Amino acid sequence: MTHLQRESCELAIVGGGPAGLAAATLAAELGVETVLFDEQSAPGGQVYRNVEANAPRHDALAAILGGDYAGGLALVRAFRASGAAYEPESAVWQVAASGKVGVSRGGRAYLTRAQRVVLATGAMERPVPVPGWTLPGVMGAGAVQTLMKASGIVPDRPVVLAGCGPLLYLVAVQLVRANAPLVAVVDTSAATLAGTVRAALPLLPAFAGDLAKGLSWIATLKARRIPIHKGSRLVVEGTGRVEAVTFDSGGRRVRIATSLLLLHEGVIPNNQVTTSLRCKHVWNVAQAAWRPETDPFGATSSARVAVAGDGAGIGGARAAVHRGRLAALDAAFRLGRIGRDERDARARPERTALAREARLRAFLDRVYRPAEAVRPLDDDTLACRCEEVSAGELRGLIAEGFTDLNQLKSFSRCGMGQCQGRMCAGTVGRILAEGLATDMAAVGHYRLRIPVKPLPLAELAELGHADRNDKPVLEVADGDPSQRI
């Protein structure tokens, strides 16, 4: 596992989480020249971040993070032993339809050409744009979990968790185990606990362990006397930083003082690269998110590119592993390492397991539909935090006749900040859909241009392995000069 500026490879995998690790391991075992590019310094992704260092520990941190997290160590070890090349601390800022991959590492950028690319970029937390969400002291629940995994850092000030989804309760339990000052949990989901239990009954034979685990998290919080509120219409209060959160609960307005508010309403596919490639995307109504259109092996409408894991639609860590293996099998077939019959035969158990996981995901999507993250915004609430554009400003432009999402982006600058629309794309699309009395599928999504990650001009000027006779060196879509820089 070396760190090189590679001119070419057979298979480039982007992302070192469960899907990327599984895909790289199997592809290398099948004889494919495989390189995994990963932004982190060690494999594991967000789910298993820093697992090699944390899992073998016999201290409080290992107990806090739990057995599911430690289970990721087996994936990492299998990858380390597979023979696949590993390029850590490597940010991929471009993937072109031709297989050209732009990488930035150690202050230098370079291009490499891959015959096949598997994007295993995973998911990101869904932004929750409530009034006051940009105040210092408001974070995503996953961000605090990342701090625990990466550095063993836990909050030392009063914390409130607000939102919905399994991760909300997992993080709450982890904070309790870490003796962090958790003040309350505000559950914004519409489903009641009794209704959730009833909906889960058909899943008991296959997923008893998963369902029991979720109930145990709630029981742990109740045993520690952590208040759990059903709430809606969140508002963050504070002057200069968060001081309290208020919400409707049981017919009254509740206010809870806090110094740290963690918001979470599920995760959405991280599809910046597939969007920049102009891959076909579909609106997933159940998950309220865009995802790239893929075949059973993860192949997209871009001939050389596949997507594995949550980037193709949220399925969870176990599903990501199966999707990664399916993408690897298809890559090995396309690259001539195995035949179609072998690919299909080896794919059957993976597809069966994936179908099983889809049953649990459908249940979670149903009972934990985002509420606060899709509620109509007050005019004063910021829709785009990078450019500080409010919902009211966007509605004003729509009233003036702006009916195209990308036109709205150009005139408002929403989506043109450093995050490249990661934090505002869904919100701006929703405001436009509301203004036009239509749905998200009708308004579409942003057209992204490269680089999809910030790239210093100094690195671009010294771009390694660029063909100086191929102008321009940065390409987005083959055959479409208007999409080249």
Side-chain angles (χ1 to χ4, degrees):
M1 295 188 181
T2 56
H3 312 312
L4 304 170
Q5 288 194 10
R6 301 172 183 277
E7 293 190 26
S8 64
C9 62
E10 285 190 313
L11 175 63
I13 297 175
V14 183
L21 294 173
T25 300
L26 180 54
E29 290 173 356
L30 293 172
V32 177
E33 179 199 9
T34 304
V35 183
L36 190 152
F37 297 97
D38 187 13
E39 288 192 17
Q40 296 185 29
S41 59
Q46 298 295 340
V47 176
Y48 301 124
R49 180 184 287 270
N50 210 28
V51 70
E52 288 176 298
N54 292 332
R57 296 167 58 157
H58 300 286
D59 60 3
L61 182 61
I64 290 167
L65 296 175
D68 286 344
Y69 168 75
L73 185 59
L75 266 178
V76 173
R77 285 176 171 169
F79 166 70
R80 292 283 197 191
S82 69
Y86 181 50
E87 300 294 343
E89 299 178 340
S90 299
V92 171
W93 46 267
Q94 168 190 282
V95 175
S98 63
K100 186 185 294 182
V101 179
V103 183
S104 174
R105 184 175 190 273
R108 299 186 66 184
Y110 68 97
L111 299 174
T112 188
R113 290 185 180 272
Q115 296 179 46
R116 188 78 180 156
V117 179
V118 172
L119 301 173
T121 50
M124 57 172 280
E125 276 195 283
R126 184 193 308 273
V128 187
V130 299
W133 72 302
T134 59
L135 279 170
V138 182
M139 299 173 61
V144 166
Q145 191 183 53
T146 295
L147 288 173
M148 285 192 282
K149 293 174 181 177
S151 306
I153 295 174
V154 297
D156 60 357
R157 59 187 62 185
V159 185
V160 172
L161 271 160
C164 67
L167 183 65
L168 186 79
Y169 286 100
L170 173 59
V171 172
V173 167
Q174 289 174 337
L175 290 175
V176 166
R177 290 172 182 164
N179 294 317
L182 180 60
V183 176
V185 173
V186 182
D187 189 331
T188 62
S189 62
T192 63
L193 179 59
T196 299
V197 170
R198 285 195 298 272
L201 289 177
L203 299 175
L204 273 177
F207 300 101
D210 295 286
L211 299 173
K213 189 186 305 174
L215 291 174
S216 73
W217 294 339
I218 296 174
T220 296
L221 297 177
K222 289 184 176 296
R224 296 290 189 97
R225 297 184 178 180
I226 304 297
I228 301 176
H229 303 270
K230 293 293 290 185
S232 62
R233 299 189 62 82
L234 299 174
V235 173
V236 185
E237 297 181 357
T239 303
R241 65 167 296 109
V242 60
E243 297 171 5
V245 59
T246 64
F247 52 92
D248 293 341
S249 182
R252 63 190 181 94
R253 196 70 184 164
V254 177
R255 183 181 189 273
I256 301 177
T258 183
S259 300
L260 180 61
L261 175 63
L262 307 182
L263 298 174
H264 179 79
E265 293 232 339
V267 295
I268 57 178
N270 185 354
N271 55 21
Q272 299 291 100
V273 177
T274 52
T275 305
S276 73
L277 273 164
R278 308 295 188 264
C279 292
K280 292 180 181 178
H281 286 70
V282 295
W283 177 251
N284 187 324
V285 175
Q287 297 184 349
W290 288 99
R291 67 168 181 82
E293 186 176 79
T294 60
D295 75 1
F297 291 94
T300 70
S301 59
S302 187
R304 294 177 183 264
V305 179
V307 183
D310 281 350
I314 305 304
R318 293 190 306 233
V321 170
H322 300 303
R323 286 173 167 175
R325 291 172 181 157
L326 287 169
L329 288 170
D330 194 45
F333 162 66
R334 291 171 183 257
L335 294 168
R337 296 299 190 277
I338 59 175
R340 184 185 300 273
D341 290 344
E342 181 179 353
R343 180 199 68 174
D344 293 347
R346 297 185 66 157
R348 287 189 195 104
E350 304 296 342
R351 295 177 67 174
T352 299
L354 192 57
R356 176 185 181 276
E357 295 298 328
R359 292 182 58 209
L360 180 61
R361 176 50 50 181
F363 160 75
L364 295 174
D365 291 342
R366 186 166 66 252
V367 300
Y368 291 121
R369 286 190 60 78
E372 295 302 296
V374 299
R375 186 182 301 283
L377 274 65
D378 297 337
D379 280 347
D380 293 336
T381 301
L382 288 182
C384 173
R385 58 191 306 162
C386 291
E387 298 295 327
E388 297 187 340
V389 180
S390 70
E393 291 175 87
L394 291 171
R395 291 187 178 114
L397 289 172
I398 295 168
E400 291 178 14
F402 290 87
T403 59
D404 178 79
L405 182 63
N406 288 285
Q407 181 189 45
L408 193 60
K409 171 185 174 181
S410 297
F411 278 82
S412 69
R413 291 197 56 82
C414 284
M416 298 176 73
Q418 187 165 347
C419 85
Q420 293 271 19
R422 287 176 176 84
M423 299 298 292
C424 72
T427 303
V428 177
R430 181 160 49 89
I431 292 171
L432 180 58
E434 292 166 0
L436 301 179
T438 186
D439 56 28
M440 288 289 287
V443 301
H445 52 79
Y446 282 162
R447 290 191 300 269
L448 268 69
R449 287 176 170 80
I450 60 168
V452 297
K453 296 289 179 70
L455 181 68
L457 285 175
E459 291 189 26
L460 183 59
E462 299 297 326
L463 194 63
H465 298 160
D467 183 352
R468 301 302 178 184
N469 296 315
D470 177 17
K471 297 181 179 180
V473 294
L474 302 183
E475 63 177 273
V476 175
D478 288 350
D480 185 356
S482 69
Q483 302 305 323
R484 298 189 177 192
I485 300 176

